[in-house]
Amino acid sequence: MSVTPVTPNTDAVLDAAKRCVERWGMAKVTIDDIAADAGVSRATLYRLFPGGKDVLYDAMRVRELEEFFTRLTGLVDGVDDLDELLVRIVVAATSELRSDQHLAAMLASSPGEVAGELTLDGLPRIIRVATLFLVPMVEPYLPRSEANRLVELLARLVISYFLAPSDHIDLGDPESAHTFVSTFILPAFHAALTRS
């Protein structure tokens, strides 16, 4: 699913882009800034990321999503109950978002851009990667179409609660997340659960 083949130079450039964006915000970073930080020439950067900054930022976002969902799947591995699986996914995803220092730095320096990346601009990408990683975990309990719907719903909910926390529900707290999942999520998929 990676946008660009991973090479040592690719990783160095993506790491440099992440550092530069944390320092100055996405709008202010230049290709020259990233190349200098990565220790590569401008030509090498364009060879690795034809299309420049937009392609590089897309690759950086995809890599970060893949890393996020790899960590998340590790935290829920081995669960054999749908209710517990969903609670762990929601709690782990919420906790990961809250503790992500890069995301916090980005929200501080470019809140509008980050909100856009988590909603309008980036949500389709987030849902696509979440589907790749999480649907196989949900499929033992639900038909594929319902598993896809459930993962999309969870992704949207976690992002929404992260960006605008609730006074009534804390998706980072296992007990609160369990109440939410069992009260509002599982009943919506009850018919599909009884068919599978």
Side-chain angles (χ1 to χ4, degrees), residues 1 22 39 62 75 99 118 147 169 195:
M1 158 108 214
E22 285 174 354
V62 168
L75 294 171
S99 66
L118 290 174
I169 299 164
R195 284 195 310 263

Side-chain angles (χ1 to χ4, degrees), residues 27-115:
K28 294 180 181 176
V29 174
T30 67
I31 287 292
D32 291 329
D33 294 331
I34 297 168
D37 192 290
V40 299
S41 70
R42 183 182 173 99
T44 297
L45 195 143
Y46 276 107
R47 206 171 24 257
L48 293 170
F49 300 96
K53 210 160 63 162
D54 290 340
V55 173
L56 190 152
Y57 283 166
D58 281 345
M60 184 176 74
R61 290 176 189 114
V62 168
R63 184 179 78 161
E64 287 176 356
L65 280 172
E66 290 172 346
E67 290 171 352
F68 177 89
F69 283 105
T70 297
R71 287 190 307 273
L72 183 64
T73 54
L75 294 171
V76 300
D77 201 26
V79 176
D80 59 3
D81 172 72
L82 181 60
D83 186 15
E84 182 62 23
L85 176 67
L86 299 183
V87 169
R88 284 209 197 164
I89 287 172
V90 166
V91 170
T94 301
S95 300
E96 281 280 321
L97 287 170
R98 287 177 178 168
S99 66
D100 186 324
Q101 296 302 314
H102 172 67
L103 185 57
M106 291 296 302
L107 275 168
S109 68
S110 307
E113 288 177 35
V114 174

